[in-house]
Every structure is written in structure tokens, then in C-alpha cells.
Amino acid sequence: MQDLKISLIQAALVWEDVDANLAYFSEKIGEVPQHTDIIILPEMFSTGFSMSPEKLAETESGKSVQWMRQQAMKRQCYLTGSLIITEGGHYYNRLFWVSPDGSYQTYNKKHLFSMAGEEKVYTPGTDKLMVEVRGWKICPMICFDLRFPVWIRNVEHYDVLLFVANWPERRKEHWRKLLQARAIENQAFVIGCNRVGEDGTGLNHTGNSMFCDPQGEILLELQSVEAIGTVSLKYDELTKIRRYMPFLKDRDQFELK
């Protein structure tokens, strides 16, 4: 199996300004190392974590999704991040997984952040998304999902679990420790792409975007600055760890209802 080269962009998002954020990420994507397989953007990367979908929501034919498709085709890589989407009279915090040919798959955030009233304005998702890149099986999730190990339990035999987020500074140690815990318990590489800076509600974010190996060891962690982080994941390392400690075969069998 080939190594998987993944880059994430840790950004200070411009509050509720789609054009400014798309322009910023257009520039930053140009700085991502060549031959990157996957580029990860934060949660609600075009607006910040806003509870005003009535003025910000786009359809899947809107400018932000089209921009993602153009960028993925231009760089010939996979591109992911979440956006505020309207569909069928509902608003969604929707992650897009865009392929190099411009096609895409989606995941609607299941666990909505009640402390910010997200569940009052957005509709939760019901299904996981599993994608495959170069033989690697990947499970993308959104922010608050990180706190719910039953939902993200590795029953699908995924190799990489990734999170796009707007996780605030006041709970940064939860972010760091939970990413490591999810890696250990699921024997998978875990990646968290967070934002930095203050949002329009006054909340500060320190980033701490990171890559963890299947034993919870931190391969790379970004600090409180705008930055690009890139790591090449090695499938041999994953296989070795799973062979040495094959506890996934003993995991509980359950069905979510």
C-alpha cells in the first residue's frame, strides 16, 4: 500500500465573509506541498461557526461547492471541509469530500453543539461517510462528533479518522486528549483540522491541529498560528501496530438506532 500524503490548513477564518475566506484558501492551497493526496479545511471554512444560516446558507450548486470542485480538479487531489448548506427547507453543517475529478460525497454533522444552539437551527445527519483513497479507508467527521466514541467506533475497518473543527481555546485540552484517545481505541491514524483566532461571538481558537498515529502518539501539532501541516502516513506502521496488538477483533458488536 502506498503512503498517504495529507495536508491540513489551519486558518483564522473571516467571520461570515464567504468571498474573503474562499480567496484566502485559494492562496493557501497554492502553498500546499506538491503531490499531496488530501487537503483538509476547517469546519464551516467559508463563514466561521455561525448560527445564522438564513443569511449564509448555499445550495450544493452555490459558489463554495463549485469552488471546492475547481480547487480539487486544479490540484488533482481530494479536498474536504464543511459548509452551511440549505436543502429541502432544512439547514445542514455539511462536509464535502471532493475528488480530483470534481465529483463529491457528503456527510451531515450528526452531533450538533447544543451549547451554541446548533441543534435549534441545523438538522442532524444520520449516516456515516466512508471514502477510499489509494486503498486507504477514511472516515471524515465534524468537530463535536469527536466526543461521541460510540458513533465513531471503528466497526467499518477504517484506517484514518479525520475531524474538521471550530474548537475553542477554552476546551483545547479536551480536543488534544480526545484526538489521541480516538486514535488509540480505534487503532487508526487520527487527524484534527481546527481554526485559529477570534470568531464573531468573541470565542478564541488556538488551533492545535494535529496528526496522531494509531497508538495516540502525536506526529505533528500546529500551534496558535495560521499554518499548513503535512504528514505522510505509512500503511506498514498501521499494519504493524494492528498485528502486534490485535484488540480490534475483540470490540463490542452493537447497532445504533
Side-chain angles (χ1 to χ4, degrees), residues 23-235:
Y24 171 87
F25 283 113
S26 293
E27 178 181 343
K28 289 300 175 182
I29 287 174
E31 299 174 11
V32 169
Q34 293 297 312
H35 309 300
T36 292
D37 297 301
I38 302 168
I39 298 174
I40 308 171
L41 309 181
E43 177 185 23
M44 292 191 185
F45 69 86
S46 67
T47 58
F49 187 63
S50 173
M51 296 301 104
S52 300
E54 69 282 352
K55 68 178 182 180
L56 297 168
E58 301 180 36
T59 66
E60 289 197 0
S61 60
K63 70 170 70 175
S64 295
V65 176
Q66 297 311 308
W67 174 87
M68 291 186 77
R69 297 179 66 236
Q70 291 164 6
Q71 292 294 323
M73 290 187 286
K74 179 180 178 181
R75 281 299 305 259
Q76 282 299 288
C77 71
Y78 293 85
L79 179 64
T80 191
S82 87
L83 299 166
I84 300 173
I85 295 293
T86 181
E87 182 180 271
H90 297 274
Y91 298 117
Y92 298 93
N93 183 348
R94 180 170 293 175
L95 177 142
F96 287 81
W97 183 270
V98 186
S99 300
D101 63 2
S103 62
Y104 60 84
Q105 298 169 266
T106 63
Y107 164 70
N108 292 324
K109 185 179 183 181
K110 177 175 174 60
H111 296 93
L112 302 178
F113 188 50
S114 58
M115 289 174 64
E118 188 179 11
E119 85 289 357
K120 296 176 182 177
V121 291
Y122 293 96
T123 298
T126 57
D127 301 307
K128 288 183 181 179
L129 172 65
M130 293 290 158
V131 297
E132 190 170 307
V133 178
R134 293 193 173 186
W136 293 72
K137 194 170 185 179
I138 301 169
C139 177
M141 290 279 169
I142 303 175
C143 202
F144 197 42
D145 288 328
L146 176 61
R147 289 189 179 274
F148 300 92
V150 174
W151 174 240
I152 54 182
R153 187 62 170 141
N154 193 359
V155 295
E156 297 86 4
H157 305 286
Y158 60 71
D159 306 307
V160 180
L161 176 64
L162 68 85
F163 297 87
V164 303
N166 272 222
W167 198 285
E169 176 185 23
R170 65 181 62 170
R171 289 182 290 278
K172 72 175 183 180
E173 287 306 316
H174 293 193
W175 165 257
R176 299 180 74 253
K177 290 179 173 61
L178 287 170
L179 286 171
Q180 291 177 278
R182 298 294 88 91
I184 294 167
E185 69 196 10
N186 292 303
Q187 282 196 327
F189 288 101
V190 172
I191 304 165
C193 178
N194 195 22
R195 64 158 295 173
V196 291
E198 186 175 298
D199 68 16
T201 70
L203 276 179
N204 193 49
H205 305 75
T206 53
N208 302 102
S209 297
M210 68 169 66
F211 295 77
C212 299
D213 76 7
Q215 299 200 88
E217 297 295 328
I218 298 174
L219 302 174
L220 175 68
E221 181 177 7
L222 303 181
Q223 300 308 310
S224 303
V225 294
E226 295 181 280
I228 296 170
T230 301
V231 168
S232 288
L233 306 184
K234 300 184 181 301
Y235 199 82

